[in-house]
Every structure is written in structure tokens, then in C-alpha cells.
């Protein structure tokens, strides 16, 4: 692909903090719209093709931990450009061969409407099928995080749950952040002060806090 063609084919990617593009699509659970999940988180994830091995491991992984997403009021929604019939056949095969039922809907994005709205097709990787894109859409329909993996590498379900927990923690504790490798129960971290006066106040307020290492580095219990 020439540089000009590549530039023209660049997908438009939803950005963190923007409103999630609306969805009106066919799925294995019938017509699917984001409105159906009002008040819930939506974890929308694309896979390249049905009946492929890495995608199968991802589907089995998400299905095995579906209850953990449910506990967090999060709805998993899969997507590829295969038909509903192909999806039905694939999830039935996974259940028959692995004993795992796929409980979440899978969008059949044959016209690639959803895939293009969410920038899931990356022509430099593959100009037909979506890459492994995943969006965390919050209950107010704001895109809060996006992860993109290449076709050749499966995602880490544990990390998807960890990031969901981190986003929920940040929402529950306004003005805080989560450090690297944070897990529920760990200390949260305070974003850096924006002014010299704030820095001084931060130091004064945290004299007895062993998690406060410097004016810009303060950890504490949520
Ligand atoms: C897979 O799911 O195994 C796969 C799909 C597309 C490209 C490479 C691997």
C-alpha cells in the first residue's frame, strides 16, 4: 500500500473521554443497541474471524470469567464481520468441544458499520477483518479506555478485569489514580499537585503518611 493510500485508509479511532459511537447491529442475541445496557459498563471487543484458534481461546477465556464481569455490572459484547449463522455455529462448536457456553452476544458486523465507527479495521495489519480491539464504555456511554492487539496475540482477560476495577476505583474515589499493577485493596495514588501552594499543602497533609515519598508521590488507602 502506498503512503497516500495508507493515509487515506487510516481508521478513525474513538478517543478516551469521547462519546461511544452508537451501535445498532444484528447479534447472536438479536438486534443489539448500546441503549439496552443503560447504567452498565460495556466491554466491546472485536476478533478477526470465527473458527480461528486464538479467537477461540479468547472467547473461552471471557466466557469462563463472565460472572466476574457481571459482578462488576459490565456487559461483554463480542464482534466480528462474520454472519450471525457463523457465530452461532462457532459458539455451539466451542460449547460442544470445550464444555463452555458463550453467554454474551456477538455482533455480526457484515457491513463493518460498527468496526469503522470504532476504528477496528487497521489496513496496515489487515484491510478486511478487525484487529483485536477492546473498548471500555462507561455507564454514561463515554469511552474510558481502548486496547488494540494484533491478530497474532490473544488478550489477557485478567488485565481487562484489572483495568475495569481500576476505572471503577477512580470513579468511586474522585481525584485519585491507580499506580502500575494496581489491584483492588491496594493503595491508590494522588495525581501530582498543579501549583506550588498545592504541593506545599500535599506535603503538610501527609506528614504522617508512610506512603508519601515526595510532594508529587503520595500513596494512601482509598
Ligand atoms: C486466530 O485467532 O488464531 C488468528 C486470527 C487471525 C490471524 C491470526 C490468528
Amino acid at each position: 500500500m502506498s503512503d497516500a493510500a495508507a493515509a487515506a485508509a487510516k481508521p478513525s479511532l474513538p478517543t478516551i473521554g469521547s462519546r461511544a459511537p452508537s451501535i445498532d447491529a444484528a447479534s447472536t442475541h438479536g438486534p443489539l443497541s448500546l441503549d439496552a445496557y443503560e447504567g452498565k459498563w460495556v466491554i466491546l471487543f472485536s476478533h478477526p474471524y470465527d473458527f480461528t484458534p486464538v479467537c477461540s481461546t479468547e472467547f473461552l477465556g471471557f466466557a469462563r470469567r463472565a460472572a466476574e464481569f457481571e459482578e462488576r455490572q459490565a456487559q461483554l459484547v463480542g464482534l466480528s464481520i462474520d454472519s450471525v449463522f457463523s457465530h452461532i455455529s462457532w459458539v455451539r462448536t466451542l460449547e460442544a468441544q470445550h464444555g463452555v457456553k458463550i453467554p454474551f452476544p456477538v455482533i455480526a458486523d457484515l457491513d463493518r458499520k460498527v468496526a469503522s465507527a470504532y476504528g477496528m479495521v487497521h489496513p496496515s495489519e489487515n484491510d478486511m477483518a478487525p484487529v483485536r480491539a477492546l473498548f471500555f464504555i462507561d455507564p454514561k456511554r463515554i469511552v474510558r479506555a481502548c486496547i488494540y492487539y494484533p491478530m497474532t496475540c490473544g488478550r489477557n482477560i485478567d488485565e481487562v478485569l484489572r483495568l475495569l476495577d481500576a476505572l471503577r476505583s477512580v470513579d468511586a474515589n474522585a481525584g485519585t489514580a491507580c499506580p502500575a499493577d494496581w489491584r483492588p485493596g491496594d493503595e491508590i495514588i494522588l495525581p501530582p499537585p498543579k501549583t506550588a501552594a498545592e504541593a506545599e499543602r500535599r506535603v503538610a497533609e501527609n506528614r504522617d503518611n508512610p506512603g508519601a515519598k515526595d510532594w508529587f508521590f503520595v500513596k494512601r488507602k482509598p
Side-chain angles (χ1 to χ4, degrees):
M1 194 183 285
S2 71
D3 284 354
K10 256 203 178 123
S12 76
L13 308 178
T15 49
I16 293 174
S18 66
R19 189 156 186 85
S22 61
I23 296 177
D24 179 14
S27 86
T28 47
H29 291 198
L32 186 146
S33 141
L34 278 184
D35 302 338
Y37 305 119
E38 196 165 340
K40 289 181 90 172
W41 286 80
V42 173
I43 310 295
L44 171 68
F45 66 101
S46 59
H47 66 276
Y49 309 104
D50 294 353
F51 294 101
T52 49
V54 178
C55 301
S56 298
T57 60
E58 289 189 326
F59 260 49
L60 293 167
F62 279 120
R64 287 190 177 110
R65 302 194 67 180
E68 292 173 70
F69 285 94
E70 230 165 80
E71 278 164 22
R72 292 159 171 82
Q73 284 82 49
Q75 174 66 48
L76 289 163
V77 177
L79 175 148
S80 81
I81 56 166
D82 300 285
S83 68
V84 167
F85 304 118
S86 169
H87 288 337
I88 292 171
S89 177
W90 183 39
V91 300
R92 285 175 63 88
T93 302
L94 291 176
E95 186 176 356
Q97 293 181 347
H98 300 268
V100 176
K101 197 171 182 72
I102 305 299
F104 48 82
V106 189
I107 291 175
D109 195 30
L110 287 172
D111 57 6
R112 292 200 257 171
K113 228 163 81 185
V114 182
S116 18
Y118 280 84
M120 290 167 166
V121 178
H122 294 195
S124 38
E125 168 86 336
N126 186 302
D127 53 11
M128 293 296 292
V131 295
R132 301 182 196 281
L134 188 148
F135 297 87
F136 294 79
I137 302 170
D138 78 9
K140 294 187 180 137
R141 294 296 159 260
I142 301 299
V143 175
R144 297 289 298 279
C146 337
I147 56 181
Y148 293 92
Y149 272 43
M151 293 189 164
T152 44
C153 300
R155 286 158 283 205
N156 183 314
I157 315 301
D158 215 34
E159 171 59 7
V160 176
L161 279 162
R162 192 198 70 85
L163 181 48
L164 178 58
D165 282 335
L167 291 166
R168 283 161 45 94
S169 165
V170 164
D171 285 357
N173 302 283
T176 69
C178 291
D181 298 329
W182 179 89
R183 294 272 176 188
D186 289 354
E187 291 186 314
I188 47 90
I189 205 157
L190 301 183
K194 292 193 188 70
T195 63
E198 233 183 273
E200 216 163 291
R201 206 162 42 242
R202 179 76 56 88
V203 171
E205 285 170 0
N206 286 279
R207 285 206 201 290
D208 301 326
N209 175 4
K213 303 295 180 202
D214 208 330
W215 63 272
F216 69 91
F217 191 105
V218 176
K219 280 187 176 180
R220 66 162 170 78
K221 283 279 164 212

mmCIF file of all heavy atoms in Angstrom, residues 151-188:
data_model
loop_
_atom_site.group_PDB
_atom_site.id
_atom_site.type_symbol
_atom_site.label_atom_id
_atom_site.label_comp_id
_atom_site.label_asym_id
_atom_site.label_seq_id
_atom_site.Cartn_x
_atom_site.Cartn_y
_atom_site.Cartn_z
ATOM 1 N N MET A 151 -3.531 -9.332 15.346
ATOM 2 C CA MET A 151 -4.275 -10.579 15.132
ATOM 3 C C MET A 151 -3.590 -11.786 15.761
ATOM 4 O O MET A 151 -4.233 -12.752 16.157
ATOM 5 C CB MET A 151 -4.450 -10.812 13.636
ATOM 6 C CG MET A 151 -5.361 -9.769 13.022
ATOM 7 S SD MET A 151 -5.771 -10.189 11.352
ATOM 8 C CE MET A 151 -7.169 -9.112 11.089
ATOM 9 N N THR A 152 -2.269 -11.704 15.836
ATOM 10 C CA THR A 152 -1.500 -12.888 16.247
ATOM 11 C C THR A 152 -1.397 -13.090 17.762
ATOM 12 O O THR A 152 -0.875 -14.119 18.187
ATOM 13 C CB THR A 152 -0.069 -12.769 15.685
ATOM 14 O OG1 THR A 152 0.370 -11.423 15.914
ATOM 15 C CG2 THR A 152 -0.018 -13.091 14.220
ATOM 16 N N CYS A 153 -1.858 -12.117 18.565
ATOM 17 C CA CYS A 153 -1.673 -12.246 20.028
ATOM 18 C C CYS A 153 -2.988 -12.088 20.776
ATOM 19 O O CYS A 153 -3.659 -11.056 20.647
ATOM 20 C CB CYS A 153 -0.696 -11.186 20.536
ATOM 21 S SG CYS A 153 0.924 -11.317 19.783
ATOM 22 N N GLY A 154 -3.313 -13.095 21.566
ATOM 23 C CA GLY A 154 -4.552 -13.057 22.346
ATOM 24 C C GLY A 154 -4.432 -12.114 23.527
ATOM 25 O O GLY A 154 -3.342 -11.882 24.054
ATOM 26 N N ARG A 155 -5.604 -11.580 23.944
ATOM 27 C CA ARG A 155 -5.622 -10.636 25.069
ATOM 28 C C ARG A 155 -5.565 -11.341 26.413
ATOM 29 O O ARG A 155 -5.798 -12.537 26.505
ATOM 30 C CB ARG A 155 -6.900 -9.776 24.984
ATOM 31 C CG ARG A 155 -6.828 -8.747 23.887
ATOM 32 C CD ARG A 155 -8.187 -8.277 23.452
ATOM 33 N NE ARG A 155 -8.854 -9.249 22.597
ATOM 34 C CZ ARG A 155 -9.799 -8.951 21.708
ATOM 35 N NH1 ARG A 155 -10.175 -7.706 21.553
ATOM 36 N NH2 ARG A 155 -10.352 -9.901 20.984
ATOM 37 N N ASN A 156 -5.264 -10.566 27.461
ATOM 38 C CA ASN A 156 -5.169 -11.093 28.814
ATOM 39 C C ASN A 156 -6.445 -10.708 29.570
ATOM 40 O O ASN A 156 -6.668 -9.536 29.871
ATOM 41 C CB ASN A 156 -3.922 -10.496 29.482
ATOM 42 C CG ASN A 156 -3.708 -11.041 30.875
ATOM 43 O OD1 ASN A 156 -4.634 -11.126 31.678
ATOM 44 N ND2 ASN A 156 -2.489 -11.404 31.179
ATOM 45 N N ILE A 157 -7.278 -11.701 29.850
ATOM 46 C CA ILE A 157 -8.596 -11.433 30.456
ATOM 47 C C ILE A 157 -8.421 -10.814 31.852
ATOM 48 O O ILE A 157 -9.195 -9.951 32.267
ATOM 49 C CB ILE A 157 -9.433 -12.737 30.576
ATOM 50 C CG1 ILE A 157 -9.366 -13.569 29.287
ATOM 51 C CG2 ILE A 157 -10.870 -12.420 30.973
ATOM 52 C CD1 ILE A 157 -9.823 -12.938 28.041
ATOM 53 N N ASP A 158 -7.395 -11.272 32.557
ATOM 54 C CA ASP A 158 -7.101 -10.738 33.872
ATOM 55 C C ASP A 158 -6.847 -9.225 33.794
ATOM 56 O O ASP A 158 -7.290 -8.466 34.648
ATOM 57 C CB ASP A 158 -5.836 -11.442 34.376
ATOM 58 C CG ASP A 158 -5.877 -11.656 35.859
ATOM 59 O OD1 ASP A 158 -6.983 -11.893 36.380
ATOM 60 O OD2 ASP A 158 -4.816 -11.566 36.490
ATOM 61 N N GLU A 159 -6.110 -8.798 32.786
ATOM 62 C CA GLU A 159 -5.807 -7.367 32.637
ATOM 63 C C GLU A 159 -7.085 -6.580 32.298
ATOM 64 O O GLU A 159 -7.255 -5.445 32.753
ATOM 65 C CB GLU A 159 -4.731 -7.151 31.562
ATOM 66 C CG GLU A 159 -4.474 -5.708 31.150
ATOM 67 C CD GLU A 159 -4.039 -4.761 32.289
ATOM 68 O OE1 GLU A 159 -3.793 -5.225 33.409
ATOM 69 O OE2 GLU A 159 -3.997 -3.544 32.052
ATOM 70 N N VAL A 160 -7.984 -7.194 31.519
ATOM 71 C CA VAL A 160 -9.240 -6.490 31.196
ATOM 72 C C VAL A 160 -10.023 -6.261 32.501
ATOM 73 O O VAL A 160 -10.528 -5.157 32.753
ATOM 74 C CB VAL A 160 -10.073 -7.286 30.166
ATOM 75 C CG1 VAL A 160 -11.414 -6.608 29.907
ATOM 76 C CG2 VAL A 160 -9.302 -7.440 28.847
ATOM 77 N N LEU A 161 -10.093 -7.297 33.356
ATOM 78 C CA LEU A 161 -10.804 -7.147 34.643
ATOM 79 C C LEU A 161 -10.073 -6.160 35.558
ATOM 80 O O LEU A 161 -10.693 -5.356 36.242
ATOM 81 C CB LEU A 161 -10.917 -8.503 35.338
ATOM 82 C CG LEU A 161 -12.058 -9.383 34.829
ATOM 83 C CD1 LEU A 161 -11.837 -10.835 35.233
ATOM 84 C CD2 LEU A 161 -13.411 -8.889 35.347
ATOM 85 N N ARG A 162 -8.734 -6.215 35.549
ATOM 86 C CA ARG A 162 -7.952 -5.311 36.405
ATOM 87 C C ARG A 162 -8.187 -3.855 36.008
ATOM 88 O O ARG A 162 -8.404 -2.985 36.838
ATOM 89 C CB ARG A 162 -6.462 -5.648 36.306
ATOM 90 C CG ARG A 162 -5.583 -4.989 37.355
ATOM 91 C CD ARG A 162 -4.114 -5.007 36.951
ATOM 92 N NE ARG A 162 -3.873 -4.097 35.839
ATOM 93 C CZ ARG A 162 -3.644 -2.796 35.974
ATOM 94 N NH1 ARG A 162 -3.567 -2.256 37.172
ATOM 95 N NH2 ARG A 162 -3.457 -2.029 34.908
ATOM 96 N N LEU A 163 -8.183 -3.596 34.700
ATOM 97 C CA LEU A 163 -8.387 -2.218 34.240
ATOM 98 C C LEU A 163 -9.814 -1.759 34.543
ATOM 99 O O LEU A 163 -10.044 -0.605 34.922
ATOM 100 C CB LEU A 163 -8.054 -2.116 32.744
ATOM 101 C CG LEU A 163 -8.187 -0.750 32.077
ATOM 102 C CD1 LEU A 163 -7.516 0.367 32.882
ATOM 103 C CD2 LEU A 163 -7.611 -0.778 30.663
ATOM 104 N N LEU A 164 -10.782 -2.682 34.411
ATOM 105 C CA LEU A 164 -12.165 -2.340 34.760
ATOM 106 C C LEU A 164 -12.238 -1.966 36.246
ATOM 107 O O LEU A 164 -12.865 -0.971 36.620
ATOM 108 C CB LEU A 164 -13.080 -3.536 34.436
ATOM 109 C CG LEU A 164 -14.555 -3.390 34.785
ATOM 110 C CD1 LEU A 164 -15.190 -2.186 34.079
ATOM 111 C CD2 LEU A 164 -15.312 -4.671 34.412
ATOM 112 N N ASP A 165 -11.580 -2.737 37.097
ATOM 113 C CA ASP A 165 -11.553 -2.426 38.531
ATOM 114 C C ASP A 165 -10.895 -1.071 38.775
ATOM 115 O O ASP A 165 -11.346 -0.293 39.619
ATOM 116 C CB ASP A 165 -10.787 -3.518 39.303
ATOM 117 C CG ASP A 165 -11.626 -4.761 39.513
ATOM 118 O OD1 ASP A 165 -12.873 -4.657 39.514
ATOM 119 O OD2 ASP A 165 -11.041 -5.850 39.663
ATOM 120 N N ALA A 166 -9.807 -0.799 38.060
ATOM 121 C CA ALA A 166 -9.096 0.479 38.243
ATOM 122 C C ALA A 166 -9.995 1.649 37.834
ATOM 123 O O ALA A 166 -10.075 2.658 38.549
ATOM 124 C CB ALA A 166 -7.796 0.473 37.444
ATOM 125 N N LEU A 167 -10.704 1.502 36.716
ATOM 126 C CA LEU A 167 -11.594 2.582 36.263
ATOM 127 C C LEU A 167 -12.718 2.804 37.273
ATOM 128 O O LEU A 167 -13.089 3.939 37.580
ATOM 129 C CB LEU A 167 -12.175 2.237 34.882
ATOM 130 C CG LEU A 167 -11.174 2.250 33.719
ATOM 131 C CD1 LEU A 167 -11.758 1.562 32.488
ATOM 132 C CD2 LEU A 167 -10.761 3.682 33.380
ATOM 133 N N ARG A 168 -13.236 1.704 37.822
ATOM 134 C CA ARG A 168 -14.312 1.823 38.816
ATOM 135 C C ARG A 168 -13.783 2.461 40.102
ATOM 136 O O ARG A 168 -14.482 3.220 40.763
ATOM 137 C CB ARG A 168 -14.929 0.445 39.086
ATOM 138 C CG ARG A 168 -15.887 0.014 37.945
ATOM 139 C CD ARG A 168 -16.146 -1.487 37.943
ATOM 140 N NE ARG A 168 -16.413 -2.028 39.236
ATOM 141 C CZ ARG A 168 -17.638 -2.218 39.775
ATOM 142 N NH1 ARG A 168 -18.703 -1.909 39.070
ATOM 143 N NH2 ARG A 168 -17.777 -2.723 40.968
ATOM 144 N N SER A 169 -12.536 2.165 40.461
ATOM 145 C CA SER A 169 -11.945 2.760 41.665
ATOM 146 C C SER A 169 -11.783 4.273 41.483
ATOM 147 O O SER A 169 -12.095 5.060 42.378
ATOM 148 C CB SER A 169 -10.580 2.117 41.954
ATOM 149 O OG SER A 169 -9.864 2.894 42.876
ATOM 150 N N VAL A 170 -11.297 4.662 40.312
ATOM 151 C CA VAL A 170 -11.102 6.096 40.028
ATOM 152 C C VAL A 170 -12.455 6.830 40.087
ATOM 153 O O VAL A 170 -12.554 7.950 40.600
ATOM 154 C CB VAL A 170 -10.433 6.239 38.637
ATOM 155 C CG1 VAL A 170 -10.554 7.640 38.108
ATOM 156 C CG2 VAL A 170 -8.964 5.817 38.713
ATOM 157 N N ASP A 171 -13.502 6.172 39.622
ATOM 158 C CA ASP A 171 -14.832 6.795 39.673
ATOM 159 C C ASP A 171 -15.347 6.893 41.106
ATOM 160 O O ASP A 171 -16.016 7.848 41.469
ATOM 161 C CB ASP A 171 -15.837 5.989 38.839
ATOM 162 C CG ASP A 171 -15.634 6.212 37.347
ATOM 163 O OD1 ASP A 171 -14.764 7.031 36.989
ATOM 164 O OD2 ASP A 171 -16.340 5.567 36.541
ATOM 165 N N ALA A 172 -15.037 5.870 41.910
ATOM 166 C CA ALA A 172 -15.544 5.852 43.290
ATOM 167 C C ALA A 172 -14.734 6.770 44.200
ATOM 168 O O ALA A 172 -15.202 7.143 45.270
ATOM 169 C CB ALA A 172 -15.516 4.424 43.826
ATOM 170 N N ASN A 173 -13.507 7.099 43.809
ATOM 171 C CA ASN A 173 -12.625 7.938 44.635
ATOM 172 C C ASN A 173 -12.153 9.122 43.799
ATOM 173 O O ASN A 173 -11.043 9.108 43.263
ATOM 174 C CB ASN A 173 -11.413 7.113 45.115
ATOM 175 C CG ASN A 173 -11.832 5.892 45.912
ATOM 176 O OD1 ASN A 173 -12.206 6.002 47.067
ATOM 177 N ND2 ASN A 173 -11.802 4.725 45.286
ATOM 178 N N ALA A 174 -13.028 10.105 43.673
ATOM 179 C CA ALA A 174 -12.754 11.240 42.774
ATOM 180 C C ALA A 174 -11.398 11.865 43.097
ATOM 181 O O ALA A 174 -11.023 11.979 44.268
ATOM 182 C CB ALA A 174 -13.849 12.272 42.923
ATOM 183 N N GLY A 175 -10.666 12.221 42.044
ATOM 184 C CA GLY A 175 -9.383 12.912 42.229
ATOM 185 C C GLY A 175 -8.245 11.974 42.595
ATOM 186 O O GLY A 175 -7.209 12.423 43.073
ATOM 187 N N THR A 176 -8.435 10.662 42.412
ATOM 188 C CA THR A 176 -7.339 9.730 42.690
ATOM 189 C C THR A 176 -6.977 8.994 41.395
ATOM 190 O O THR A 176 -7.676 9.096 40.389
ATOM 191 C CB THR A 176 -7.719 8.691 43.775
ATOM 192 O OG1 THR A 176 -8.700 7.798 43.246
ATOM 193 C CG2 THR A 176 -8.244 9.370 45.023
ATOM 194 N N ALA A 177 -5.889 8.235 41.458
ATOM 195 C CA ALA A 177 -5.435 7.473 40.298
ATOM 196 C C ALA A 177 -4.942 6.111 40.788
ATOM 197 O O ALA A 177 -4.818 5.896 42.004
ATOM 198 C CB ALA A 177 -4.315 8.233 39.590
ATOM 199 N N CYS A 178 -4.678 5.204 39.847
ATOM 200 C CA CYS A 178 -4.219 3.861 40.221
ATOM 201 C C CYS A 178 -2.803 3.647 39.700
ATOM 202 O O CYS A 178 -2.551 3.830 38.510
ATOM 203 C CB CYS A 178 -5.145 2.800 39.628
ATOM 204 S SG CYS A 178 -6.770 2.812 40.387
ATOM 205 N N PRO A 179 -1.881 3.252 40.575
ATOM 206 C CA PRO A 179 -0.497 3.048 40.125
ATOM 207 C C PRO A 179 -0.358 1.784 39.274
ATOM 208 O O PRO A 179 -1.318 1.021 39.137
ATOM 209 C CB PRO A 179 0.278 2.903 41.430
ATOM 210 C CG PRO A 179 -0.720 2.446 42.429
ATOM 211 C CD PRO A 179 -2.060 2.989 42.009
ATOM 212 N N ALA A 180 0.838 1.571 38.758
ATOM 213 C CA ALA A 180 1.123 0.386 37.939
ATOM 214 C C ALA A 180 0.789 -0.874 38.721
ATOM 215 O O ALA A 180 1.022 -0.942 39.946
ATOM 216 C CB ALA A 180 2.604 0.369 37.561
ATOM 217 N N ASP A 181 0.219 -1.837 38.025
ATOM 218 C CA ASP A 181 -0.083 -3.153 38.612
ATOM 219 C C ASP A 181 -1.079 -3.091 39.768
ATOM 220 O O ASP A 181 -1.182 -4.042 40.540
ATOM 221 C CB ASP A 181 1.208 -3.856 39.084
ATOM 222 C CG ASP A 181 2.159 -4.122 37.936
ATOM 223 O OD1 ASP A 181 1.665 -4.341 36.809
ATOM 224 O OD2 ASP A 181 3.386 -4.086 38.146
ATOM 225 N N TRP A 182 -1.804 -1.976 39.892
ATOM 226 C CA TRP A 182 -2.770 -1.822 40.991
ATOM 227 C C TRP A 182 -3.819 -2.931 40.947
ATOM 228 O O TRP A 182 -4.249 -3.354 39.863
ATOM 229 C CB TRP A 182 -3.467 -0.466 40.874
ATOM 230 C CG TRP A 182 -4.495 -0.221 41.933
ATOM 231 C CD1 TRP A 182 -4.287 0.346 43.146
ATOM 232 C CD2 TRP A 182 -5.900 -0.530 41.859
ATOM 233 N NE1 TRP A 182 -5.476 0.395 43.846
ATOM 234 C CE2 TRP A 182 -6.480 -0.137 43.083
ATOM 235 C CE3 TRP A 182 -6.726 -1.108 40.887
ATOM 236 C CZ2 TRP A 182 -7.842 -0.291 43.365
ATOM 237 C CZ3 TRP A 182 -8.067 -1.275 41.168
ATOM 238 C CH2 TRP A 182 -8.614 -0.873 42.391
ATOM 239 N N ARG A 183 -4.189 -3.374 42.138
ATOM 240 C CA ARG A 183 -5.262 -4.364 42.305
ATOM 241 C C ARG A 183 -6.208 -3.865 43.375
ATOM 242 O O ARG A 183 -5.758 -3.156 44.301
ATOM 243 C CB ARG A 183 -4.690 -5.706 42.792
ATOM 244 C CG ARG A 183 -3.803 -6.398 41.795
ATOM 245 C CD ARG A 183 -4.645 -7.268 40.911
ATOM 246 N NE ARG A 183 -3.896 -7.906 39.872
ATOM 247 C CZ ARG A 183 -4.476 -8.601 38.893
ATOM 248 N NH1 ARG A 183 -5.772 -8.725 38.840
ATOM 249 N NH2 ARG A 183 -3.759 -9.167 37.968
ATOM 250 N N PRO A 184 -7.490 -4.257 43.345
ATOM 251 C CA PRO A 184 -8.407 -3.827 44.400
ATOM 252 C C PRO A 184 -7.821 -4.152 45.774
ATOM 253 O O PRO A 184 -7.277 -5.246 45.979
ATOM 254 C CB PRO A 184 -9.670 -4.639 44.129
ATOM 255 C CG PRO A 184 -9.618 -4.929 42.666
ATOM 256 C CD PRO A 184 -8.162 -5.098 42.330
ATOM 257 N N GLY A 185 -7.918 -3.202 46.698
ATOM 258 C CA GLY A 185 -7.361 -3.393 48.049
ATOM 259 C C GLY A 185 -6.006 -2.707 48.194
ATOM 260 O O GLY A 185 -5.589 -2.399 49.302
ATOM 261 N N ASP A 186 -5.316 -2.479 47.078
ATOM 262 C CA ASP A 186 -4.023 -1.775 47.130
ATOM 263 C C ASP A 186 -4.254 -0.287 47.392
ATOM 264 O O ASP A 186 -5.362 0.231 47.196
ATOM 265 C CB ASP A 186 -3.280 -1.879 45.777
ATOM 266 C CG ASP A 186 -2.762 -3.282 45.517
ATOM 267 O OD1 ASP A 186 -2.875 -4.139 46.410
ATOM 268 O OD2 ASP A 186 -2.252 -3.500 44.395
ATOM 269 N N GLU A 187 -3.178 0.387 47.788
ATOM 270 C CA GLU A 187 -3.256 1.840 47.946
ATOM 271 C C GLU A 187 -3.465 2.498 46.585
ATOM 272 O O GLU A 187 -2.953 2.018 45.567
ATOM 273 C CB GLU A 187 -1.956 2.363 48.563
ATOM 274 C CG GLU A 187 -1.772 1.942 50.012
ATOM 275 C CD GLU A 187 -0.559 2.605 50.626
ATOM 276 O OE1 GLU A 187 0.501 2.607 49.971
ATOM 277 O OE2 GLU A 187 -0.675 3.127 51.741
ATOM 278 N N ILE A 188 -4.196 3.608 46.622
ATOM 279 C CA ILE A 188 -4.342 4.397 45.385
ATOM 280 C C ILE A 188 -3.294 5.515 45.442
ATOM 281 O O ILE A 188 -2.588 5.665 46.439
ATOM 282 C CB ILE A 188 -5.784 4.947 45.213
ATOM 283 C CG1 ILE A 188 -6.307 5.588 46.501
ATOM 284 C CG2 ILE A 188 -6.732 3.839 44.813
ATOM 285 C CD1 ILE A 188 -6.049 6.967 46.655
#
